[in-house]
PDB file of all heavy atoms in Angstrom:
ATOM      1  N   GLU A  86       4.287  11.171  -3.824  1.00  0.00           N
ATOM      2  CA  GLU A  86       4.618  10.666  -2.492  1.00  0.00           C
ATOM      3  C   GLU A  86       4.444   9.185  -2.257  1.00  0.00           C
ATOM      4  O   GLU A  86       5.233   8.500  -1.803  1.00  0.00           O
ATOM      5  CB  GLU A  86       3.926  11.473  -1.463  1.00  0.00           C
ATOM      6  CG  GLU A  86       4.350  11.210  -0.010  1.00  0.00           C
ATOM      7  CD  GLU A  86       3.693  12.150   1.012  1.00  0.00           C
ATOM      8  OE1 GLU A  86       2.873  12.945   0.545  1.00  0.00           O
ATOM      9  OE2 GLU A  86       3.916  12.006   2.136  1.00  0.00           O
ATOM     10  N   PHE A  87       3.101   8.713  -2.721  1.00  0.00           N
ATOM     11  CA  PHE A  87       2.691   7.365  -2.428  1.00  0.00           C
ATOM     12  C   PHE A  87       2.460   6.453  -3.555  1.00  0.00           C
ATOM     13  O   PHE A  87       2.164   5.391  -3.432  1.00  0.00           O
ATOM     14  CB  PHE A  87       1.352   7.419  -1.631  1.00  0.00           C
ATOM     15  CG  PHE A  87       1.422   8.143  -0.349  1.00  0.00           C
ATOM     16  CD1 PHE A  87       0.650   9.239  -0.039  1.00  0.00           C
ATOM     17  CD2 PHE A  87       2.368   7.758   0.704  1.00  0.00           C
ATOM     18  CE1 PHE A  87       0.630   9.863   1.143  1.00  0.00           C
ATOM     19  CE2 PHE A  87       2.474   8.384   1.938  1.00  0.00           C
ATOM     20  CZ  PHE A  87       1.620   9.478   2.138  1.00  0.00           C
ATOM     21  N   GLY A  88       2.632   7.034  -4.777  1.00  0.00           N
ATOM     22  CA  GLY A  88       2.269   6.220  -6.010  1.00  0.00           C
ATOM     23  C   GLY A  88       0.802   6.217  -6.246  1.00  0.00           C
ATOM     24  O   GLY A  88      -0.039   6.940  -5.525  1.00  0.00           O
ATOM     25  N   THR A  89       0.407   5.351  -7.111  1.00  0.00           N
ATOM     26  CA  THR A  89      -1.085   5.342  -7.355  1.00  0.00           C
ATOM     27  C   THR A  89      -1.821   4.007  -6.983  1.00  0.00           C
ATOM     28  O   THR A  89      -3.013   3.841  -7.021  1.00  0.00           O
ATOM     29  CB  THR A  89      -1.321   5.354  -8.892  1.00  0.00           C
ATOM     30  OG1 THR A  89      -0.688   4.403  -9.708  1.00  0.00           O
ATOM     31  CG2 THR A  89      -0.780   6.872  -9.346  1.00  0.00           C
ATOM     32  N   GLU A  90      -1.054   2.996  -6.649  1.00  0.00           N
ATOM     33  CA  GLU A  90      -1.638   1.757  -6.202  1.00  0.00           C
ATOM     34  C   GLU A  90      -1.955   1.637  -4.739  1.00  0.00           C
ATOM     35  O   GLU A  90      -1.247   2.438  -3.847  1.00  0.00           O
ATOM     36  CB  GLU A  90      -0.554   0.570  -6.487  1.00  0.00           C
ATOM     37  CG  GLU A  90      -0.470   0.426  -7.986  1.00  0.00           C
ATOM     38  CD  GLU A  90      -1.675   0.180  -8.794  1.00  0.00           C
ATOM     39  OE1 GLU A  90      -2.502  -0.742  -8.345  1.00  0.00           O
ATOM     40  OE2 GLU A  90      -2.038   0.872  -9.741  1.00  0.00           O
ATOM     41  N   PRO A  91      -2.976   0.859  -4.285  1.00  0.00           N
ATOM     42  CA  PRO A  91      -3.399   0.890  -2.928  1.00  0.00           C
ATOM     43  C   PRO A  91      -2.136   0.390  -2.110  1.00  0.00           C
ATOM     44  O   PRO A  91      -1.344  -0.481  -2.511  1.00  0.00           O
ATOM     45  CB  PRO A  91      -4.509  -0.155  -2.853  1.00  0.00           C
ATOM     46  CG  PRO A  91      -4.989  -0.142  -4.234  1.00  0.00           C
ATOM     47  CD  PRO A  91      -3.864   0.081  -5.171  1.00  0.00           C
ATOM     48  N   LEU A  92      -2.060   0.929  -0.918  1.00  0.00           N
ATOM     49  CA  LEU A  92      -0.946   0.725   0.104  1.00  0.00           C
ATOM     50  C   LEU A  92      -1.504  -0.210   1.212  1.00  0.00           C
ATOM     51  O   LEU A  92      -2.540   0.050   1.765  1.00  0.00           O
ATOM     52  CB  LEU A  92      -0.397   2.004   0.692  1.00  0.00           C
ATOM     53  CG  LEU A  92       0.073   2.967  -0.353  1.00  0.00           C
ATOM     54  CD1 LEU A  92       0.445   4.221   0.438  1.00  0.00           C
ATOM     55  CD2 LEU A  92       1.248   2.503  -1.176  1.00  0.00           C
ATOM     56  N   THR A  93      -0.705  -1.265   1.554  1.00  0.00           N
ATOM     57  CA  THR A  93      -0.965  -2.222   2.741  1.00  0.00           C
ATOM     58  C   THR A  93       0.312  -2.375   3.548  1.00  0.00           C
ATOM     59  O   THR A  93       1.398  -1.964   3.178  1.00  0.00           O
ATOM     60  CB  THR A  93      -1.490  -3.510   2.204  1.00  0.00           C
ATOM     61  OG1 THR A  93      -0.569  -4.159   1.367  1.00  0.00           O
ATOM     62  CG2 THR A  93      -2.839  -3.281   1.557  1.00  0.00           C
ATOM     63  N   GLY A  94       0.052  -3.048   4.657  1.00  0.00           N
ATOM     64  CA  GLY A  94       1.324  -3.293   5.486  1.00  0.00           C
ATOM     65  C   GLY A  94       2.193  -2.284   5.917  1.00  0.00           C
ATOM     66  O   GLY A  94       1.755  -1.207   6.291  1.00  0.00           O
ATOM     67  N   THR A  95       3.414  -2.568   5.644  1.00  0.00           N
ATOM     68  CA  THR A  95       4.467  -1.513   6.116  1.00  0.00           C
ATOM     69  C   THR A  95       4.405  -0.163   5.160  1.00  0.00           C
ATOM     70  O   THR A  95       4.688   0.897   5.760  1.00  0.00           O
ATOM     71  CB  THR A  95       5.945  -2.000   5.974  1.00  0.00           C
ATOM     72  OG1 THR A  95       6.132  -2.379   4.533  1.00  0.00           O
ATOM     73  CG2 THR A  95       6.193  -3.151   6.884  1.00  0.00           C
ATOM     74  N   ALA A  96       3.923  -0.361   4.038  1.00  0.00           N
ATOM     75  CA  ALA A  96       3.810   0.954   3.197  1.00  0.00           C
ATOM     76  C   ALA A  96       2.661   1.812   3.852  1.00  0.00           C
ATOM     77  O   ALA A  96       2.729   2.946   3.882  1.00  0.00           O
ATOM     78  CB  ALA A  96       3.479   0.613   1.756  1.00  0.00           C
ATOM     79  N   LEU A  97       1.527   1.157   4.326  1.00  0.00           N
ATOM     80  CA  LEU A  97       0.529   1.884   4.929  1.00  0.00           C
ATOM     81  C   LEU A  97       0.964   2.416   6.234  1.00  0.00           C
ATOM     82  O   LEU A  97       0.455   3.535   6.668  1.00  0.00           O
ATOM     83  CB  LEU A  97      -0.813   0.839   5.235  1.00  0.00           C
ATOM     84  CG  LEU A  97      -1.901   1.310   6.023  1.00  0.00           C
ATOM     85  CD1 LEU A  97      -2.598   2.636   5.280  1.00  0.00           C
ATOM     86  CD2 LEU A  97      -2.881   0.367   6.161  1.00  0.00           C
ATOM     87  N   ALA A  98       1.762   1.734   6.975  1.00  0.00           N
ATOM     88  CA  ALA A  98       2.266   2.276   8.346  1.00  0.00           C
ATOM     89  C   ALA A  98       2.922   3.560   8.060  1.00  0.00           C
ATOM     90  O   ALA A  98       2.984   4.414   9.055  1.00  0.00           O
ATOM     91  CB  ALA A  98       3.230   1.239   8.891  1.00  0.00           C
ATOM     92  N   ALA A  99       3.403   3.763   6.951  1.00  0.00           N
ATOM     93  CA  ALA A  99       4.207   5.114   6.793  1.00  0.00           C
ATOM     94  C   ALA A  99       3.271   6.324   6.486  1.00  0.00           C
ATOM     95  O   ALA A  99       3.747   7.390   6.481  1.00  0.00           O
ATOM     96  CB  ALA A  99       5.149   5.003   5.549  1.00  0.00           C
ATOM     97  N   VAL A 100       2.043   6.004   6.445  1.00  0.00           N
ATOM     98  CA  VAL A 100       0.958   7.117   6.181  1.00  0.00           C
ATOM     99  C   VAL A 100       0.277   7.460   7.439  1.00  0.00           C
ATOM    100  O   VAL A 100      -0.236   6.511   8.179  1.00  0.00           O
ATOM    101  CB  VAL A 100       0.003   6.642   5.005  1.00  0.00           C
ATOM    102  CG1 VAL A 100      -1.005   7.711   4.811  1.00  0.00           C
ATOM    103  CG2 VAL A 100       0.670   6.140   3.717  1.00  0.00           C
ATOM    104  N   GLU A 101       0.206   8.773   7.751  1.00  0.00           N
ATOM    105  CA  GLU A 101      -0.549   9.197   8.849  1.00  0.00           C
ATOM    106  C   GLU A 101      -2.024   9.144   8.703  1.00  0.00           C
ATOM    107  O   GLU A 101      -2.649   9.957   7.751  1.00  0.00           O
ATOM    108  CB  GLU A 101      -0.161  10.612   9.199  1.00  0.00           C
ATOM    109  CG  GLU A 101      -0.744  11.151  10.567  1.00  0.00           C
ATOM    110  CD  GLU A 101      -0.443  12.589  10.878  1.00  0.00           C
ATOM    111  OE1 GLU A 101       0.543  12.981  10.480  1.00  0.00           O
ATOM    112  OE2 GLU A 101      -1.265  13.091  11.520  1.00  0.00           O
ATOM    113  N   MET A 102      -2.814   8.052   9.159  1.00  0.00           N
ATOM    114  CA  MET A 102      -4.112   7.960   8.809  1.00  0.00           C
ATOM    115  C   MET A 102      -5.091   8.532   9.844  1.00  0.00           C
ATOM    116  O   MET A 102      -4.960   8.112  11.017  1.00  0.00           O
ATOM    117  CB  MET A 102      -4.351   6.332   8.767  1.00  0.00           C
ATOM    118  CG  MET A 102      -3.668   5.656   7.557  1.00  0.00           C
ATOM    119  SD  MET A 102      -4.071   6.398   5.988  1.00  0.00           S
ATOM    120  CE  MET A 102      -5.788   5.967   5.730  1.00  0.00           C
ATOM    121  N   THR A 103      -5.865   9.491   9.502  1.00  0.00           N
ATOM    122  CA  THR A 103      -6.788  10.195  10.277  1.00  0.00           C
ATOM    123  C   THR A 103      -8.059   9.652   9.813  1.00  0.00           C
ATOM    124  O   THR A 103      -8.308   9.029   8.772  1.00  0.00           O
ATOM    125  CB  THR A 103      -6.767  11.684  10.087  1.00  0.00           C
ATOM    126  OG1 THR A 103      -7.094  12.056   8.662  1.00  0.00           O
ATOM    127  CG2 THR A 103      -5.387  12.212  10.475  1.00  0.00           C
ATOM    128  N   ASP A 104      -9.085   9.865  10.698  1.00  0.00           N
ATOM    129  CA  ASP A 104     -10.525   9.490  10.152  1.00  0.00           C
ATOM    130  C   ASP A 104     -10.918  10.128   8.912  1.00  0.00           C
ATOM    131  O   ASP A 104     -11.410   9.437   7.943  1.00  0.00           O
ATOM    132  CB  ASP A 104     -11.565   9.983  11.241  1.00  0.00           C
ATOM    133  CG  ASP A 104     -11.558   9.122  12.427  1.00  0.00           C
ATOM    134  OD1 ASP A 104     -11.034   7.990  12.400  1.00  0.00           O
ATOM    135  OD2 ASP A 104     -12.064   9.555  13.514  1.00  0.00           O
ATOM    136  N   THR A 105     -10.581  11.258   8.594  1.00  0.00           N
ATOM    137  CA  THR A 105     -10.889  11.931   7.286  1.00  0.00           C
ATOM    138  C   THR A 105     -10.053  11.229   6.241  1.00  0.00           C
ATOM    139  O   THR A 105     -10.751  11.021   5.170  1.00  0.00           O
ATOM    140  CB  THR A 105     -10.346  13.413   7.384  1.00  0.00           C
ATOM    141  OG1 THR A 105     -11.197  14.175   8.415  1.00  0.00           O
ATOM    142  CG2 THR A 105     -10.701  14.181   6.060  1.00  0.00           C
ATOM    143  N   ARG A 106      -8.757  10.937   6.424  1.00  0.00           N
ATOM    144  CA  ARG A 106      -8.095  10.275   5.378  1.00  0.00           C
ATOM    145  C   ARG A 106      -8.687   8.825   5.086  1.00  0.00           C
ATOM    146  O   ARG A 106      -8.635   8.443   3.929  1.00  0.00           O
ATOM    147  CB  ARG A 106      -6.632  10.226   5.733  1.00  0.00           C
ATOM    148  CG  ARG A 106      -5.692   9.744   4.598  1.00  0.00           C
ATOM    149  CD  ARG A 106      -4.251   9.941   4.999  1.00  0.00           C
ATOM    150  NE  ARG A 106      -3.647  10.812   4.054  1.00  0.00           N
ATOM    151  CZ  ARG A 106      -2.532  11.209   4.069  1.00  0.00           C
ATOM    152  NH1 ARG A 106      -1.722  10.937   5.157  1.00  0.00           N
ATOM    153  NH2 ARG A 106      -1.926  12.060   3.193  1.00  0.00           N
ATOM    154  N   TRP A 107      -9.111   8.143   6.204  1.00  0.00           N
ATOM    155  CA  TRP A 107      -9.783   6.845   6.052  1.00  0.00           C
ATOM    156  C   TRP A 107     -11.044   7.048   5.130  1.00  0.00           C
ATOM    157  O   TRP A 107     -11.283   6.173   4.228  1.00  0.00           O
ATOM    158  CB  TRP A 107     -10.080   6.188   7.222  1.00  0.00           C
ATOM    159  CG  TRP A 107      -8.913   5.376   7.805  1.00  0.00           C
ATOM    160  CD1 TRP A 107      -8.291   5.521   8.972  1.00  0.00           C
ATOM    161  CD2 TRP A 107      -8.376   4.247   7.260  1.00  0.00           C
ATOM    162  NE1 TRP A 107      -7.321   4.748   9.223  1.00  0.00           N
ATOM    163  CE2 TRP A 107      -7.241   3.864   8.240  1.00  0.00           C
ATOM    164  CE3 TRP A 107      -8.559   3.506   6.059  1.00  0.00           C
ATOM    165  CZ2 TRP A 107      -6.502   2.748   7.965  1.00  0.00           C
ATOM    166  CZ3 TRP A 107      -7.684   2.438   5.894  1.00  0.00           C
ATOM    167  CH2 TRP A 107      -6.656   2.081   6.727  1.00  0.00           C
ATOM    168  N   GLY A 108     -11.785   8.117   5.465  1.00  0.00           N
ATOM    169  CA  GLY A 108     -12.990   8.174   4.663  1.00  0.00           C
ATOM    170  C   GLY A 108     -12.789   8.418   3.287  1.00  0.00           C
ATOM    171  O   GLY A 108     -13.419   7.888   2.254  1.00  0.00           O
ATOM    172  N   HIS A 109     -11.822   9.286   2.868  1.00  0.00           N
ATOM    173  CA  HIS A 109     -11.564   9.660   1.444  1.00  0.00           C
ATOM    174  C   HIS A 109     -10.834   8.373   0.765  1.00  0.00           C
ATOM    175  O   HIS A 109     -11.141   8.043  -0.322  1.00  0.00           O
ATOM    176  CB  HIS A 109     -10.373  10.853   1.424  1.00  0.00           C
ATOM    177  CG  HIS A 109     -10.963  12.128   1.869  1.00  0.00           C
ATOM    178  ND1 HIS A 109     -12.144  12.690   1.298  1.00  0.00           N
ATOM    179  CD2 HIS A 109     -10.603  13.029   2.706  1.00  0.00           C
ATOM    180  CE1 HIS A 109     -12.437  13.823   1.761  1.00  0.00           C
ATOM    181  NE2 HIS A 109     -11.486  14.153   2.679  1.00  0.00           N
ATOM    182  N   SER A 110     -10.018   7.728   1.546  1.00  0.00           N
ATOM    183  CA  SER A 110      -9.442   6.375   0.908  1.00  0.00           C
ATOM    184  C   SER A 110     -10.624   5.459   0.665  1.00  0.00           C
ATOM    185  O   SER A 110     -10.610   4.873  -0.364  1.00  0.00           O
ATOM    186  CB  SER A 110      -8.510   5.816   2.010  1.00  0.00           C
ATOM    187  OG  SER A 110      -8.145   4.605   1.587  1.00  0.00           O
ATOM    188  N   ALA A 111     -11.578   5.352   1.584  1.00  0.00           N
ATOM    189  CA  ALA A 111     -12.607   4.346   1.346  1.00  0.00           C
ATOM    190  C   ALA A 111     -13.500   4.758   0.217  1.00  0.00           C
ATOM    191  O   ALA A 111     -13.882   3.972  -0.694  1.00  0.00           O
ATOM    192  CB  ALA A 111     -13.601   4.328   2.424  1.00  0.00           C
ATOM    193  N   ARG A 112     -13.740   6.082  -0.054  1.00  0.00           N
ATOM    194  CA  ARG A 112     -14.543   6.639  -1.249  1.00  0.00           C
ATOM    195  C   ARG A 112     -13.718   6.170  -2.531  1.00  0.00           C
ATOM    196  O   ARG A 112     -14.382   5.616  -3.417  1.00  0.00           O
ATOM    197  CB  ARG A 112     -14.635   8.087  -1.101  1.00  0.00           C
ATOM    198  CG  ARG A 112     -15.484   8.623  -2.222  1.00  0.00           C
ATOM    199  CD  ARG A 112     -15.755  10.192  -2.003  1.00  0.00           C
ATOM    200  NE  ARG A 112     -14.500  10.921  -1.795  1.00  0.00           N
ATOM    201  CZ  ARG A 112     -13.511  11.201  -2.736  1.00  0.00           C
ATOM    202  NH1 ARG A 112     -13.657  10.762  -3.947  1.00  0.00           N
ATOM    203  NH2 ARG A 112     -12.455  11.904  -2.359  1.00  0.00           N
TER     204      ARG A 112
END
Side-chain angles (χ1 to χ4, degrees):
E86 185 177 1
F87 300 121
T89 58
E90 293 304 309
L92 304 176
T93 60
T95 56
L97 174 61
V100 181
E101 183 183 335
M102 295 302 293
T103 63
D104 284 343
T105 300
R106 193 171 239 172
W107 274 118
H109 291 306
S110 171
R112 183 180 47 77

